[in-house]
Amino acid sequence: PREFCHQVKDNGSLGTLAGMSGNYEVDESRNIYGPYDNVFPGPMRNNVDYEIKYSAHMKDSKMCASCHNLKTPFVDENGNLLSTTPESEFPEQMPYSEWEHSSYKETQSCQDCHMQRTDGVVIASRPPWLETQRNGFAQHIFVGGNKMLLDILNNNRAALGVNANNFEATIAKTDEMLKSAAAIEVVRQSLQDGVMDVTLRVKSNTGHKFPTSFPSRRAFMHLKVTDTAGSVVFESGKVNTDGSINGADSDADRTTFEPHYDI
């Protein structure tokens, strides 16, 4: 349920290894936490038995680290467990730590980017005379970069039993975020003796690695050169209909892997 995150309490471990990989603590005393300190608790207390509490951790990135830093145990080829401590476990997803060691830590939180803000919102209708408007209200859309999963859910609602709606709007917001994730600039280009030399600069605009999170994500560059007639004379990074990329060694032969490039 949506209110679940608001029941995670600040027990001192948020943002630490002990509180990551899903090791959050849910407040079982029916306290529910929010970012506003001027609240009218009566309706929520009387109707759903929640006691509204203000807590600054709801706007802090350490709250997101609970689930978005994930370390997992790993084994050898015989199934023997090799990781013995949380520190030695495999860092399967670490966007919080990536953000924590970036310059974005001083300017933007996880919530600033992934929960779009809006002003002048009346977020409660009970009691009816309550008309307190909230500015800087975080919309609970949680836009990320996983457009593929949204497409799968949207295109297979009946088969998957999906009841949610408004996929089109969320997919559009996801597209918008992806397009702003990085910028490509042509630094210089030259053509001499039939050889073209192009230098590009890629600037990441994300608050963590690009790409980040689960390891199947990848970023690539698609470069296409055409002649004056519009015919393609060179192309690298073209995506095929099956999702493979021309020029990626491991896509053409799964027994190989793409080498590391310093540049």
Side-chain angles (χ1 to χ4, degrees):
R2 178 174 293 181
E3 66 271 12
F4 173 79
C5 290
H6 290 272
Q7 291 179 268
V8 174
K9 64 188 299 185
D10 187 4
N11 61 0
S13 70
L14 295 179
T16 70
L17 183 58
M20 297 174 186
S21 300
N23 290 312
Y24 45 76
E25 182 182 354
V26 175
D27 194 325
E28 298 181 357
S29 63
R30 303 298 292 181
N31 286 329
I32 191 164
Y33 302 97
Y36 300 107
D37 55 5
N38 56 333
V39 297
F40 189 80
M44 185 167 284
R45 181 191 301 142
N46 297 331
N47 289 277
V48 291
D49 193 28
Y50 279 130
E51 189 68 33
I52 307 174
K53 299 284 185 179
Y54 163 76
S55 185
H57 79 280
M58 294 307 303
K59 298 177 69 174
D60 199 310
S61 291
K62 66 183 182 181
M63 173 70 181
C64 307
S66 303
C67 297
H68 293 279
N69 253 28
L70 173 61
K71 301 189 75 175
T72 60
F74 60 92
V75 299
D76 63 16
E77 65 273 16
N78 298 315
N80 298 313
L81 184 66
L82 297 182
S83 53
T84 57
T85 63
E87 288 81 6
S88 66
E89 290 180 344
F90 178 72
E92 202 263 355
Q93 299 181 36
M94 305 295 286
Y96 172 79
S97 291
E98 295 161 7
W99 167 85
E100 191 176 29
H101 289 85
S102 76
S103 59
Y104 282 79
K105 180 182 179 181
E106 307 301 326
T107 59
Q108 289 177 276
S109 68
C110 301
Q111 293 91 328
D112 286 336
C113 288
H114 294 281
M115 301 181 73
Q116 190 174 9
R117 303 307 169 98
T118 186
D119 293 332
V121 176
V122 178
I123 60 176
S125 60
R126 301 184 66 180
W129 46 261
L130 186 66
E131 296 180 355
T132 303
Q133 291 188 348
R134 301 299 192 187
N135 292 327
F137 176 74
Q139 299 182 49
H140 288 51
I141 302 176
F142 302 104
V143 178
N146 197 347
K147 181 187 175 184
M148 183 182 72
L149 182 59
L150 293 173
D151 280 331
I152 291 173
L153 293 173
N154 187 43
N155 295 331
N156 301 275
R157 293 189 192 184
L160 298 175
V162 176
N163 295 320
N165 53 23
N166 206 32
F167 276 101
E168 288 76 12
T170 305
I171 289 172
K173 289 181 179 294
T174 303
D175 258 335
E176 183 180 349
M177 171 164 278
L178 286 171
K179 289 175 181 177
S180 66
I184 301 177
E185 174 190 358
V186 178
V187 178
R188 56 182 172 270
Q189 57 182 339
S190 62
L191 179 62
Q192 187 174 1
D193 299 329
V195 177
M196 175 173 283
D197 185 9
V198 182
T199 300
L200 304 173
R201 178 183 292 117
V202 180
K203 177 185 177 183
S204 173
N205 296 321
T206 63
H208 42 63
K209 286 186 177 182
F210 171 70
T212 189
S213 202
F214 56 87
S216 62
R217 291 178 175 176
R218 60 181 177 178
F220 58 93
M221 190 177 299
H222 183 193
L223 177 66
K224 181 167 64 175
V225 180
T226 58
D227 59 19
T228 54
S231 300
V232 177
V233 296
F234 174 82
E235 188 169 19
S236 174
K238 178 184 177 181
V239 182
N240 301 312
T241 55
D242 63 358
S244 62
I245 300 172
N246 283 353
D249 293 350
S250 57
D251 284 6
D253 181 358
R254 293 189 178 185
T255 64
T256 64
F257 60 90
E258 189 74 9
H260 175 77
Y261 301 100
D262 290 327
I263 298 178

